[in-house]
Amino acid sequence: MAARTARKATPAMTLPPHQARHHDMPFGATLLPDGGVRFRLWAPGHAEILLALDGAEPMPLQALPGGWHELTVEDAGPGDRYRFLLPDGQAVPDPASRHQPDGVHGASEVMDPAAYRWQETGWPGRPWHEAVIYELHIGSFTAAGTFRAAIDRLDHLVRLGVTALEIMPVAAFPGTRGWGYDGVLPYSPAACYGQPDDFKALIDAAHARGLMVLLDVVYNHFGPEGNYLPLYAPGFFTDAHKTPWGDAINVDGPDAGPVREFFIHNALYWIDEFNLDGLRLDAVHAIRDESPRHLLDELAGRLRAAAGPRPVHLILENEENEARRLGHVFTAQWNDDLHHGLHVAVTGEDAGYYADYQGDIAKLARALAEGFAFQGEVMAYRGSPRGEPSAHLPPSRFVSFLQNHDQVGNRAFGDRIHALAPEQAVRATACLYLLCPQIPLLFMGEEWGATSPFPFFCDLGPDLKDAVREGRRQEFARFLAFQDAAARARIPDPTAEATFLSAKLDWAAAEQGPWLGWYSALLALRRQEIIPLLPGIPGGAGQYRTLGDHGLMVEWRLGDGGVLALAANLGPETRAGFALPPGREIWVEGAVSDTGTLGPWSVRWAIIPPAPAEGEPNHG
């Protein structure tokens, strides 16, 4: 072994156990108790791997059974930068790197994960039924676009009535701007947002204010640039399954064991080391697994076992509407069906998948009452059945929203709902998801009617920029409005910095206009009236009926025998027939009469008391 010329290592800082958080991993760079660093890589594609450690000649790792390579360097320590060298001289970062100070193509840095001194050492978490989620993108949430800058806006979210942040992926991705879904180093918070300790500081500050923090993670694919895994671990991927991004990640074939461990430990790492309250797993329908125990089930089981009594919330994005995954294993699922029904009601759009919801208010009513609108029926847009029965599930198993990063950002210009529909229509539809017993999610800036768009943006290398730009525009060629090449040319260039900058929130506008006070009032009402009811709403509690093309009524049976009742006219004409049983009105939007007539875009929420027992007086 070549001699090290760098300084002697400083042993890992020793802090009281309640202040230090460190997840032990079977790979990557691990600080040893007596000093030094163990470097470990799964590279079954090569018999020899070298470690290129700053200040030293390359050193060979010892080849171990199963394709593992390992080396302990006694005088290595925090702050040292390193790469692995393949036999052809190609230098690659550590796939389990905790920090990539110079980006995904640069060297990895040895970190001391226990160095951060947690302030909120007794954070107990919060129960799921209290969740009011605020989805944000670190880079465009503030002008600085960093973890530390986001701390300055937490008090605003508390005043608004938010109880949980949901942060779009932060795993290291190419360049300095992107949505995060093209990440390639899942253990390393993107350096453009700050140091790993800066992310911990954001989580710590959120907990100090009573806010949960959820992180979006991507276990279904890697981005197109900076993924070096195929060069030394080709078994990480398999052509036995295909996904929209090409060959699937190998979680069920030969050599799948280390691959599964890579993602399971990633989930454990975020919860253990960063003290997160939960994860939102992106597009799990694209995780192809035919093994006896699906990766999702194993991941959830091990994560909950490790967390013990502390609540950890696992939320799915799942196009297949697999209701069987919800309940004891996973906490909830993003309810796209509810969004699509709300969006069609407020905009009248019928392009793409919206066509399946156009002119059918029953799908929106069913999504409110039962969770999924498609529970095994054929979805014409897909040309195949979609979903499983979900009416038996409690409504808190579903996350509802009128906007999110996908539904705004996947539009050609990233335009928000406030720019697409009249104010009274937005108010009527927004108060449905904000007060219904499902868990509400706001997209950053929604609470003040932000006018900044949220277009798709990325910062890929020159070899990919043209393909991404043209591919983005071709995606819209099948839409009538973009069949002309000149129309497509107006779509913002996702690789341009100006496109990213246009997505930055204008916080100077936050206090202007009527929206912030309206959202705050609704969330205050939710905290007072709806949240206390949620633990008592059982599965199968929702029932619905429709009135004409735009009217719906939904009732949820409460644990005490009472009813949470909704009547909504989501159309431009006054309509009768919305009479509710006697009860306590908690919110009215628009024009509502005592006789059950609702004006255009009008909504009534009420709580109906339980019927009196036989022989008891009815006090109304």
Side-chain angles (χ1 to χ4, degrees):
M1 180 186 298
R4 252 321 277 282
T5 57
R7 53 145 179 83
K8 288 286 184 182
T10 301
M13 184 183 298
T14 301
L15 297 175
H18 66 280
Q19 290 188 348
R21 303 191 68 90
H22 173 213
H23 176 66
D24 289 322
M25 298 186 295
F27 34 67
T30 301
L31 295 177
L32 301 178
D34 297 327
V37 180
R38 184 203 70 192
F39 298 91
R40 202 161 192 258
L41 176 72
W42 187 59
H46 298 291
E48 183 179 64
I49 298 291
L50 301 180
L51 174 70
L53 190 61
D54 283 0
E57 293 295 320
M59 297 171 277
L61 281 75
Q62 180 184 2
L64 302 175
W68 290 97
H69 301 258
E70 182 179 307
L71 178 68
T72 295
V73 180
E74 294 181 355
D75 62 348
D80 284 337
R81 299 190 180 185
Y82 65 101
R83 293 180 174 90
F84 295 112
L85 294 181
L86 308 184
D88 63 359
Q90 172 73 56
V92 299
D94 184 350
S97 168
R98 281 182 165 91
H99 187 40
Q100 291 292 121
D102 298 320
V104 300
H105 300 294
S108 304
E109 182 175 324
V110 177
M111 301 296 293
D112 179 4
Y116 180 79
R117 293 178 177 269
W118 290 89
Q119 302 302 304
E120 292 302 307
T121 56
W123 171 247
R126 295 187 70 154
W128 177 244
H129 72 273
E130 295 180 355
V132 174
I133 305 172
Y134 190 92
E135 188 192 21
L136 64 90
H137 174 266
I138 290 293
S140 54
F141 183 55
T142 63
T146 64
F147 295 125
R148 293 277 181 179
I151 295 173
D152 296 335
R153 298 300 178 184
L154 295 181
D155 289 337
H156 163 88
L157 300 182
V158 173
R159 290 192 299 269
L160 173 62
V162 166
T163 62
L165 311 184
E166 183 174 314
I167 299 176
M168 289 172 63
V170 301
F173 53 82
T176 59
R177 56 188 182 271
W179 279 18
Y181 297 93
D182 54 357
V184 291
L185 294 170
Y187 289 81
S188 175
C192 58
Y193 299 151
Q195 298 267 343
D197 282 3
D198 296 329
F199 188 26
K200 295 174 183 178
L202 170 58
I203 297 164
D204 215 3
H207 288 167
R209 292 161 173 82
L211 296 167
M212 296 183 281
V213 185
L214 314 171
L215 178 65
D216 204 341
V217 293
V218 182
Y219 296 155
N220 54 66
H221 77 288
F222 288 82
E225 180 187 335
N227 174 24
Y228 292 95
L229 282 163
L231 300 182
Y232 55 86
F236 212 98
F237 302 89
T238 175
D239 60 7
H241 305 296
K242 297 296 181 182
T243 75
W245 306 279
D247 287 351
I249 293 172
N250 173 29
V251 296
D252 64 354
D255 292 331
V259 180
R260 294 172 72 97
E261 288 297 299
F262 184 80
F263 292 110
I264 290 169
H265 273 281
N266 185 255
L268 291 166
Y269 162 79
W270 289 120
I271 301 298
D272 286 351
E273 201 160 294
F274 286 78
N275 205 21
L276 285 164
D277 297 276
L279 304 172
R280 182 262 193 186
L281 285 78
D282 177 71
V284 299
H285 52 271
I287 299 175
R288 310 297 191 192
D289 187 355
E290 297 178 1
S291 63
R293 191 181 189 195
H294 197 287
L295 173 68
L296 292 174
D297 297 325
E298 183 178 0
L299 182 152
R302 287 175 58 179
L303 193 56
R304 295 199 185 284
R310 178 189 168 197
V312 172
H313 310 302
L314 300 176
I315 301 96
L316 300 177
E317 180 195 24
N318 189 352
E319 169 66 20
E320 299 304 320
N321 283 1
E322 293 172 308
R324 66 182 182 275
R325 296 200 179 280
L326 304 177
H328 298 296
V329 180
F330 291 94
T331 309
Q333 178 179 317
W334 273 25
N335 193 352
D336 285 336
D337 278 351
L338 181 55
H339 167 270
H340 299 343
L342 291 172
H343 185 90
V344 167
V346 75
T347 66
E349 292 183 357
D350 61 2
Y353 46 72
Y354 289 138
D356 280 294
Y357 303 81
Q358 178 59 248
D360 189 358
I361 196 70
K363 286 193 171 66
L364 172 55
R366 190 185 200 193
L368 283 163
E370 300 182 359
F372 298 140
F374 285 92
Q375 300 182 30
E377 298 83 5
V378 172
M379 186 176 185
Y381 179 74
R382 291 168 40 129
S384 62
R386 174 171 175 243
E388 298 172 354
S390 61
H392 63 285
L393 294 168
S396 59
R397 297 304 178 197
F398 303 92
V399 176
S400 59
F401 40 85
L402 184 56
Q403 301 184 95
N404 63 30
H405 76 272
D406 269 334
Q407 304 304 335
V408 176
N410 287 340
R411 300 180 66 83
F413 298 101
D415 34 9
R416 294 167 176 263
I417 198 70
H418 294 86
L420 300 174
E423 179 177 325
Q424 65 175 158
V426 175
R427 285 177 180 264
T429 47
C431 79
L432 296 191
Y433 94 86
L434 290 170
L435 294 180
C436 85
Q438 298 182 26
I439 300 299
L441 177 146
L442 293 79
F443 184 58
M444 62 177 195
E446 177 184 343
E447 72 273 21
W448 73 77
T451 58
S452 55
F454 189 75
F456 175 67
F457 50 82
C458 60
D459 187 21
L460 299 175
D463 294 341
L464 291 170
K465 281 189 175 182
D466 289 343
V468 169
R469 183 186 306 111
E470 292 310 310
R472 173 72 172 169
R473 289 170 177 166
Q474 286 304 314
E475 284 180 20
F476 293 95
R478 57 194 174 95
F479 294 95
L480 183 63
F482 297 102
Q483 290 182 353
D484 180 70
R488 293 196 297 275
R490 294 188 296 107
I491 297 174
D493 176 0
T495 69
E497 184 180 23
T499 303
F500 163 63
L501 293 176
S502 73
K504 294 269 188 180
L505 286 181
D506 177 12
W507 282 92
E511 301 293 336
Q512 301 172 11
W515 286 108
L516 183 58
W518 185 82
Y519 272 86
S520 298
L522 271 167
L523 293 181
L525 180 68
R526 181 179 183 86
R527 180 172 62 251
Q528 177 182 339
E529 298 282 3
I530 304 300
I531 287 177
L533 301 176
L534 296 187
I537 301 181
Q543 295 183 331
Y544 69 92
R545 65 185 179 93
T546 61
L547 290 83
D549 294 336
H550 305 291
L552 60 86
M553 299 184 73
V554 184
E555 295 184 351
W556 292 269
R557 187 178 70 258
L558 305 177
D560 65 358
V563 170
L564 175 64
L566 162 68
N569 178 19
L570 304 180
E573 298 177 353
T574 298
R575 184 177 179 91
F578 293 93
L580 294 175
R584 182 167 56 88
E585 201 168 67
I586 61 172
W587 187 269
V588 170
E589 193 66 44
V592 176
S593 76
D594 293 337
T595 60
T597 298
L598 269 61
W601 301 105
S602 296
V603 175
R604 180 183 185 232
W605 283 97
I607 296 177
I608 314 301
E614 187 174 349
E616 291 184 3
N618 186 351
H619 297 292

